[in-house]
Amino acid sequence: MKYILTVITALLLFNCSKKEVKKETINNQKPFPLKIKDIEPNRVMSAAMQRSFKHYEAPRLLDNELYTNFKYTELKGFNYNNGNGTISRRDPSKIIYENGKYYVWYTHRETPTEPKGKNGANDTIPSTDWDLAEIWYATSKDGFTWNEQGVAIKRPKKPQPGWRSVATADILKFKDKYYLYYQAFNAPSGTYNEEKDAYDICPVAMSWADSPDGPWIPFNEVVIPFGKSNEWDWRVIHDPMPLVHNGKIYLYYKSGMDQRDKNRKHWDCWGLAIADQPEGPFKKHPLSPVMNSGHETILFPFKEGVAAIVGTDGIEHYTIQYAKDWVNFEIASVTQLLPTAAGVFSKDAFTDNPNADGITWGLSHFINAGKNWKKLYSKLGRFDCDLSQSTDDPSM
Ligand code: AAL
């Protein structure tokens, strides 16, 4: 009898500790005390209420460090030709602080007209807002007024990767050198290539420099290749976003789960590829895709894990998520007016700090379009938020 009781007690304890572990995986906080059954023990919950406690731990979504509002401010220092669609700046990189100033890299398009779609594009007319683009950079003392410094990565000569467009860069600082990872288009964006069975013919390229002011030296090899045709990321690799974790480079990227029918509808997901060196080889994590929603990749180290701003697109859009192990994300909060394609200022992006502070600001892009998408171009703007352990929310 004594033996049976001991076994039952052990089993009960094991069960409880399992539940605790599960709760701990979300945001490393103590369980929120409120449960509907504590208030009204006999209430039968509707499907929606059961779901909110079971899948989302709803009370936690309303009260935690990874909840914030976003406040937006127009930037000073950029000229957009009065918004006639011929100059565009979009997809800002993370922001880094070097030499007493902030640095950002972004897609810069300056073309004779606004984008005309894949059928209207030629050697000088862009198909999309990020076609025929270069990667430019700007610096700032305060994050509000920016001085455009000019081109960082030009389009190389045909047939080098990126001859058609280089876009959507992100920065890595690793062992005192700087690395820009970016999309290298070998055809107008949106063009389908039968031979390669891919859309943008746009794997990830990289250039490196000894200083954030360049000169940038092309690595001249694809660093993150497409998956095989039976893999989820066979079609495009977009939005490379490198961070440093455990001494390695953790690079998140966007690709799409394809429906593979004639409409080729796809569903944006994020993958993770890990390397010991900035040049690679990058090994794709076997659990990729690690995120089921979100258009552009927006991530930053938070405590010992990584937090993600999941903005537009997907079933879990407008959430902020957390992965203590950098792979398995859980929803931490649901919020609104999230930045688009943001580049964050994360002090700990490359420091491998086991208690990273988080972020309070960054840059977002805003897509401006006239009637019928005429004069389409994008602008950069600043956002402020409180996704940091150490500050108060400036937007409240
Ligand atoms: C962006 C990013 C990538 C896409 C396009 C330009 O916001 O997701 O960069 O290719 O849109």
Side-chain angles (χ1 to χ4, degrees):
M1 187 62 187
K2 209 170 139 196
Y3 172 74
I4 293 173
L5 276 178
T6 319
V7 172
I8 291 173
T9 318
L11 278 176
L12 281 174
L13 281 175
F14 176 69
N15 230 351
C16 293
S17 61
K18 240 173 49 189
K19 278 185 196 140
E20 278 315 301
V21 170
K22 195 193 148 258
K23 287 192 183 304
E24 279 291 291
T25 59
I26 302 179
N27 207 13
N28 199 22
Q29 291 182 348
K30 291 213 179 72
F32 192 87
L34 180 67
K35 288 204 172 61
I36 228 168
K37 294 210 173 218
D38 297 339
I39 311 169
E40 291 182 78
N42 298 323
R43 174 174 288 274
V44 179
M45 281 195 274
S46 64
M49 288 311 289
Q50 284 187 39
R51 192 165 64 240
S52 57
F53 282 88
K54 195 168 152 205
H55 294 316
Y56 300 116
E57 302 202 25
R60 191 191 302 277
L61 299 187
L62 305 174
D63 181 19
N64 72 66
E65 292 163 300
L66 286 176
Y67 176 80
T68 186
N69 284 314
F70 295 91
K71 174 176 129 181
Y72 293 92
T73 312
E74 194 156 8
L75 300 180
K76 294 198 179 116
F78 290 121
N79 154 40
Y80 289 96
N81 269 355
N82 294 322
N84 67 4
T86 60
I87 297 188
S88 190
R89 293 182 187 83
R90 54 178 293 142
D91 290 295
S93 70
K94 285 190 294 296
I95 294 143
I96 59 169
Y97 189 77
E98 298 286 318
N99 311 322
K101 53 196 174 193
Y102 297 106
Y103 283 76
V104 69
W105 291 262
Y106 46 89
T107 304
H108 177 274
R109 173 179 63 77
E110 190 157 1
T111 46
T113 68
E114 77 264 37
K116 299 279 191 192
K118 63 181 174 196
N119 298 326
N122 61 25
D123 286 351
T124 53
I125 297 181
S127 62
T128 58
D129 197 19
W130 53 90
D131 187 27
L132 293 172
E134 296 179 319
I135 294 159
W136 283 39
Y137 79 114
T139 58
S140 171
K141 287 275 182 202
D142 61 5
F144 290 93
T145 300
W146 291 82
N147 298 312
E148 189 156 72
Q149 304 290 343
V151 68
I153 315 263
K154 286 190 177 148
R155 289 190 279 144
K157 292 217 159 46
K158 202 171 175 177
Q160 301 265 60
W163 64 266
R164 176 72 197 188
S165 193
V166 285
T168 318
D170 204 2
I171 186 79
L172 167 73
K173 183 178 181 187
F174 196 76
K175 299 190 176 152
D176 290 332
K177 287 199 171 16
Y178 301 84
Y179 300 84
L180 280 172
Y181 294 84
Y182 48 93
Q183 301 177 179
F185 289 92
N186 293 340
S189 183
T191 316
Y192 178 65
N193 181 305
E194 289 286 345
E195 190 197 328
K196 299 237 164 107
D197 200 9
Y199 258 103
D200 287 325
I201 329 300
C202 165
V204 173
M206 185 267 276
S207 292
W208 65 274
D210 285 318
S211 148
D213 292 298
W216 293 91
I217 301 159
F219 180 56
N220 278 336
E221 273 176 45
V222 168
V223 276
I224 316 276
F226 298 130
K228 299 199 185 75
S229 60
N230 60 352
E231 290 173 319
W232 76 281
D233 58 352
W234 68 296
R235 178 185 156 276
V236 290
I237 302 273
H238 282 174
D239 298 273
M241 229 235 70
L243 296 169
V244 173
H245 176 52
N246 282 344
K248 295 179 192 289
I249 296 133
Y250 273 53
L251 188 146
Y252 296 86
Y253 61 93
K254 180 191 79 191
S255 186
M257 301 281 270
D258 254 325
Q259 219 169 278
R260 306 205 179 184
D261 59 8
K262 67 174 174 9
N263 298 320
R264 292 182 178 267
K265 291 214 176 92
H266 76 280
W267 162 23
D268 286 339
C269 297
W270 301 356
L272 166 63
I274 302 173
D276 293 328
Q277 309 292 337
E279 302 80 16
F282 279 89
K283 202 165 165 243
K284 293 182 183 171
H285 195 286
L287 288 183
S288 295
V290 296
M291 182 65 77
N292 63 21
S293 304
H295 193 85
E296 297 90 359
T297 49
I298 311 171
L299 299 110
F300 56 92
F302 187 74
K303 299 186 173 173
E304 72 265 62
V306 67
I309 296 180
V310 184
T312 48
D313 293 359
I315 41 184
E316 292 179 356
H317 65 278
Y318 298 165
T319 62
I320 297 176
Q321 306 210 10
Y322 184 62
K324 193 170 168 180
D325 64 359
W326 291 64
V327 174
N328 289 290
F329 287 88
E330 302 276 3
I331 297 176
S333 71
V334 181
T335 181
Q336 58 279 315
L337 291 176
L338 283 82
T340 305
V344 299
F345 175 61
S346 160
K347 285 177 286 213
D348 290 312
F350 318 125
T351 60
D352 228 337
N353 180 352
N355 189 21
D357 188 30
I359 61 161
T360 59
W361 70 280
L363 300 183
S364 168
H365 76 209
F366 297 85
I367 300 172
N368 289 254
K371 213 173 164 205
N372 302 325
W373 294 90
K374 287 276 185 318
K375 300 190 175 172
L376 171 71
Y377 74 108
S378 302
K379 282 174 94 158
L380 301 178
R382 171 172 167 132
F383 71 87
D384 286 85
C385 63
D386 180 13
L387 293 170
S388 140
Q389 294 191 63
S390 59
T391 52
D392 291 329
D393 185 346
S395 64
M396 299 299 283

